[in-house]
Amino acid sequence: MIDLLVQAVTFAFQWQNLVALAAGTVSGIIIGVLPGLGPSAGMALAIPLVLKWPPATALIFMGALYKCSNYGGSITAILVNTPGDSSNAATILDGYPMCEKGRGGVALALSATAAMVGGSIGMICLIFSAPALANFALEFGPAEYFLTALLALSLIAAVVQGATLNGLIAAGLGLMLSFVGFDVITGHLRYTFGWSVIEDGIPLIQALVGLFAVTQALVLAESAGAISRIGKLAGGFLEGARIYFRYPYTVIRSSLIGLFVGVLPAVGQSSAGLLAWADAKRASAHPETFGTGDPQGVIASETSTNACMPGDLVCTIALGIPGSVGAAVFLGVMIIFGVIPGPLVFTEKADVIYSLFVALVLTSFVLFFVGMTVARHFALVTLLPNEIIVPLTLVISLLGSFAIRNLMADVVLSLGFGILGYVMLKGGLTPVPLLLGLVLGEMVETNYHRALMLSGGSYSIFFSSIICKILVILIILSFVGPYLAPLWKRLTGKMK
Amino acid sequence: MEKKVNRRLTVVTICALALLFICPNAWSADFPKKPVKMIVCSAAGGGEDMETRAIAPFVEKHLGVNVTIENQPGAGGKIAFEKFQKTEPDGYSLIMYTFPKSIIIEYIDKTNFRTKDFTPVFAWSRGNQVLVVHGDTWKTFGDFLKAAKSKTLSGGLSGRGSTVHLAGLVAVDELGIKVNWVPYEGSAGSVTALAGKHLDFTICLATSAVSLTKAGKLRPLVVFSDTRDPYLPDVPIPKELGFEATSMPGIRGVEAPPRTPAPIVKVLEDAFSKAIKEPAYIEIAKNRQIVLQPMSSKEYAQMVEVTYPRVEKYREMLKEK
């Protein structure tokens, strides 16, 4: 193993591989920034370009592109309230309010640091324990997935603290929206009203563009000024990196959540950031600052999404089973180059795989460097007057929503969600519970059905395995915990 | 004088018109003049998309113009098919999908397209469906069948209304066994669940289970095909096991819009058939374990014809279970 890694390091530092890595990083960031182009479409577009390259070099380019497109997505999420990809949704929640306080540069630095740290933690786990992690993922059947989703949904309780009723309404709305479309279990169409555009369900990115970008454009259009309310940029760039390391606890928790979400193929990648954000809010001593520009929000979301990508590669490489669309494209690229992912790949193509791994760790650092030197200047966007930035973001984000499926109807859908978001905002409802419901709804529902189909209708399947039992205890704790904490404090207080 | 000119003009016009009718190939000589678009009716990164992107550079070479790829996902391809029905039949727009997906959609749903209206151009690959079990369980198809007859097994359904779903229904129907189908969105879900022993078996495309099969975690017991799969030479086919299963493989190829002129189809067909003979493409196909099986425009049309009644037979079952 050590020999392999040493070999891989020397290989990754060959000039053509370094060039491929740098090129992949830059194209990844650009693809992430461009609306409607996520990692999957980006990689698919690049296939003809790399077809004649040596396999390892081509995979390094593709891997870097895959990894960095996520960081590119965080740039637009922070600066103009438009997620580049669905995984960046939670970054908006605190990233954009930071921009409003003039701290856009700091937020970008946080996201660049998160890409480096989260990415590296994820990669190290991937390098040293991929087969073990993959076997762990296989233990998860429908019952385990159902309970995991339930545990994730219990985070809604933390998110809605202080506005419980409003929050639950939003969460319910999110769950209801997740039911729209083709029902995987029964094969029937639900709530589509004959509109074929939503037969595959509510498209997530299009909904996000509406809920965030369009809503924000409407809000900004109400007044003159710029996104940055103080009219200038405050806070140095290095400050962002320094702030990041002030929250090691949040970093570790978020990395683990991201890795966990990534490793389990049936958990949607888009939930990684949201779950880490909600978890950080729950753990925080000042949960009320979340959503108003708390740097911890950006740290949690971005660290988690960046740790998620290597987690996603675990099952993709160790089992040949992709956990997301991005991973599926990457799997396809590997196969084209004759590297067939699966349990045997670690012995058959060890040189290529470990070079790729080393290169991806390296990418995390290159990304940090690029982010800290080049991307910082993007923060100037937040100083543009509203009359310029509003039409610009509106056109670009709607273009993105069109480009995903080449469907004009998706633009209509985004506008609809924009209006919904605006009404919710004015009514004091936050979009976070709605998003959690929308992202997790299908996972809860289909796995519940599958589990009962397997057990012949017996509920005992939800307590059958050890993982199930642990999950059930965690769920109970997450509901009862908030009530137990004060009790515990009082008890220990009395003891003293 | 004027009359003379007029008459001359008439003669020239008639000659020109006659020429046009005598050699319809005059059209194909100008085709193609601009980039040809291949529409993929699923998202970027899916099997169909990757296969299109792999072949496109080689088609480009033989067509002499750029080949662009446009993804039109949504409603399992229905949106793309309905749009394609009304597309200009000039040969510049082609659609790529896994046949007979479109026919299945026609039977499940009300649609504004007909697969038999499309103009088949060329099909090149064949995806065989396999029945796989976990490596720790049954060793042969006979053992599996014995178990399946004594109790109801749980089978992973790799996507409702998919070509694999249809294959599963056909097989179960022929074998006379009862199955507790557990539906998944696609084969990734059902194959993972099988590898984790949460299911007894699943039916999926051979390519979806390659790496886990090689590692011994999963075991294919039967390939639903008329001939053995070159990538799974040890796995028997129904005929050898003593039962008949109308094989319904997933065929990948391209079609042109309804009423595309034959000369144009010919140009396209030639370009595709040359593309799949390129050594570099064959290498890619081998890596992806694609079974190359060229099918001309005529053969493709015949297959469309015979597939309709086959799918219709399972129409109710596709809707129900």
Side-chain angles (χ1 to χ4, degrees), chain A residues 138 185 199-200 341 450 453, chain B residues 75 78 160 180 183 198 211 287:
Chain A
L138 285 183
I185 301 295
E199 276 184 16
D200 292 340
R450 280 183 202 127
M453 284 167 131
Chain B
K78 195 172 97 181
R160 271 189 182 283
N180 174 25
H198 305 285
S211 36
N287 282 336

Side-chain angles (χ1 to χ4, degrees), chain A residues 302-383:
Chain A
E302 278 302 307
T303 308
S304 175
T305 21
N306 278 291
C308 182
M309 181 260 181
D312 197 4
L313 286 184
V314 166
C315 282
T316 311
I317 291 176
L319 299 176
I321 295 167
S324 67
V325 188
V329 181
F330 194 67
L331 180 91
V333 173
M334 291 176 79
I335 294 175
I336 285 183
F337 285 103
V339 182
I340 316 289
L344 301 179
V345 81
F346 293 100
T347 45
E348 280 177 357
K349 294 274 179 184
D351 49 337
V352 180
I353 289 296
Y354 284 105
S355 312
L356 173 70
F357 287 173
V358 169
L360 283 178
V361 176
L362 214 57
T363 307
S364 304
F365 291 91
V366 174
L367 186 58
F368 176 69
F369 179 74
V370 174
M372 289 304 250
T373 50
V374 182
R376 57 190 296 183
H377 301 295
F378 288 131
L380 293 171
V381 167
T382 59
L383 300 181

Side-chain angles (χ1 to χ4, degrees), chain A residues 44 138-141 184-187 196 199-200 319 321 329 332-333 335-336 338 340-343 406 442 450 453-454, chain B residues 45 50 53 70-71 74-76 78-79 154 160 180-185 192 196 198 211-212 214-215 217 287-288:
Chain A
L138 285 183
E139 293 295 316
F140 276 68
V184 179
I185 301 295
T186 64
S196 54
E199 276 184 16
D200 292 340
L319 299 176
I321 295 167
V329 181
V333 173
I335 294 175
I336 285 183
I340 316 289
N406 289 309
E442 196 195 350
R450 280 183 202 127
M453 284 167 131
L454 280 175
Chain B
M50 300 293 286
R53 283 176 207 276
E70 186 176 311
N71 295 92
K78 195 172 97 181
I79 296 178
S154 301
R160 271 189 182 283
N180 174 25
W181 288 116
V182 183
Y184 283 84
E185 242 172 301
T192 324
H198 305 285
S211 36
L212 288 171
K214 256 172 78 185
K217 261 207 160 14
N287 282 336
R288 286 185 60 94

Side-chain angles (χ1 to χ4, degrees), chain B residues 8-124:
Chain B
R8 210 176 279 166
L9 202 69
T10 318
V11 171
V12 169
T13 317
I14 289 171
C15 285
L17 274 176
L19 262 176
L20 199 69
F21 279 105
I22 290 165
C23 26
N25 278 334
W27 287 351
S28 61
D30 314 336
F31 178 84
K33 275 191 298 200
K34 53 176 190 177
V36 170
K37 181 169 75 182
M38 280 172 84
I39 297 160
V40 179
C41 53
S42 54
E48 292 169 346
D49 179 69
M50 300 293 286
E51 213 161 299
T52 312
R53 283 176 207 276
I55 202 172
F58 302 99
V59 178
E60 219 161 54
K61 188 174 152 193
H62 291 286
L63 219 47
V65 291
N66 280 337
V67 173
T68 59
I69 293 162
E70 186 176 311
N71 295 92
Q72 289 183 6
K78 195 172 97 181
I79 296 178
F81 292 132
E82 296 196 332
K83 223 165 138 187
F84 198 65
Q85 178 89 18
K86 287 175 251 157
T87 300
E88 189 71 26
D90 54 8
Y92 290 106
S93 306
L94 303 174
I95 199 161
M96 194 281 187
Y97 66 96
T98 313
F99 183 85
K101 172 162 112 171
S102 52
I103 297 186
I104 298 178
I105 298 177
E106 280 180 55
Y107 279 116
I108 293 183
D109 215 342
K110 264 189 221 134
T111 56
N112 290 321
F113 75 88
R114 286 282 163 270
T115 311
K116 50 182 159 200
D117 290 352
F118 296 164
T119 316
V121 172
F122 188 74
W124 61 87

Side-chain angles (χ1 to χ4, degrees), chain A residues 8-382:
Chain A
V9 170
T10 40
F11 181 78
F13 274 97
Q14 281 172 11
W15 71 268
Q16 64 270 45
N17 296 323
L18 284 178
V19 170
L21 195 153
T25 305
V26 174
S27 5
I29 296 178
I30 294 172
I31 280 165
V33 169
L34 289 175
L37 265 185
S40 46
M43 277 187 282
L45 283 176
I47 290 174
L49 179 76
V50 299
L51 220 46
K52 290 192 178 118
W53 295 9
T57 311
L59 287 180
I60 287 172
F61 173 82
M62 284 292 192
L65 188 154
Y66 180 17
K67 183 166 174 29
C68 299
S69 63
N70 181 54
Y71 171 71
S74 79
I75 297 178
T76 48
I78 290 169
L79 296 179
V80 290
N81 216 14
T82 308
D85 196 17
S86 52
S87 52
N88 303 112
T91 309
I92 293 180
L93 301 169
D94 281 294
Y96 184 75
M98 280 184 81
C99 285
E100 290 183 326
K101 293 181 186 166
R103 297 171 66 77
V106 181
L108 284 180
L110 284 175
S111 140
T113 320
M116 176 176 70
V117 178
S120 304
I121 293 178
M123 280 314 299
I124 288 165
C125 293
L126 172 63
I127 292 175
F128 290 103
S129 54
L133 283 172
N135 282 332
F136 169 72
L138 285 183
E139 293 295 316
F140 276 68
E144 286 83 0
Y145 274 122
F146 166 72
L147 293 170
T148 308
L150 213 57
L151 181 64
L153 273 179
S154 76
L155 280 171
I156 288 180
V159 174
V160 302
Q161 226 169 31
T164 318
L165 187 64
N166 280 352
L168 289 181
I169 292 175
L173 196 63
L175 282 175
M176 275 163 67
L177 286 172
S178 80
F179 299 149
V180 173
F182 184 78
D183 180 353
V184 179
I185 301 295
T186 64
H188 291 288
L189 290 174
R190 299 190 292 183
Y191 312 111
T192 57
F193 305 101
W195 200 31
S196 54
V197 174
I198 49 174
E199 276 184 16
D200 292 340
I202 301 279
L204 198 55
I205 300 181
Q206 288 86 323
L208 288 172
V209 163
L211 280 176
F212 289 105
V214 177
T215 301
Q216 200 54 39
L218 290 174
V219 172
L220 282 180
E222 286 172 351
S223 61
I227 290 176
S228 169
R229 298 236 175 87
I230 55 170
K232 60 181 169 88
L233 293 177
F237 217 61
L238 278 174
E239 191 193 329
R242 262 202 303 276
I243 292 177
Y244 185 87
F245 292 105
R246 223 179 279 159
Y247 300 101
Y249 189 53
T250 311
V251 170
I252 291 169
R253 276 177 87 118
S254 311
S255 305
L256 289 180
I257 292 178
L259 191 71
F260 191 67
V261 169
V263 165
L264 296 176
V267 183
Q269 308 291 299
S270 42
S271 61
L274 272 172
L275 294 180
W277 185 87
D279 175 72
K281 177 171 178 172
R282 179 163 65 178
S284 165
H286 303 283
E288 68 283 353
T289 59
F290 276 71
T292 61
D294 190 324
Q296 273 196 78
V298 178
I299 295 173
S301 164
E302 278 302 307
T303 308
S304 175
T305 21
N306 278 291
C308 182
M309 181 260 181
D312 197 4
L313 286 184
V314 166
C315 282
T316 311
I317 291 176
L319 299 176
I321 295 167
S324 67
V325 188
V329 181
F330 194 67
L331 180 91
V333 173
M334 291 176 79
I335 294 175
I336 285 183
F337 285 103
V339 182
I340 316 289
L344 301 179
V345 81
F346 293 100
T347 45
E348 280 177 357
K349 294 274 179 184
D351 49 337
V352 180
I353 289 296
Y354 284 105
S355 312
L356 173 70
F357 287 173
V358 169
L360 283 178
V361 176
L362 214 57
T363 307
S364 304
F365 291 91
V366 174
L367 186 58
F368 176 69
F369 179 74
V370 174
M372 289 304 250
T373 50
V374 182
R376 57 190 296 183
H377 301 295
F378 288 131
L380 293 171
V381 167
T382 59

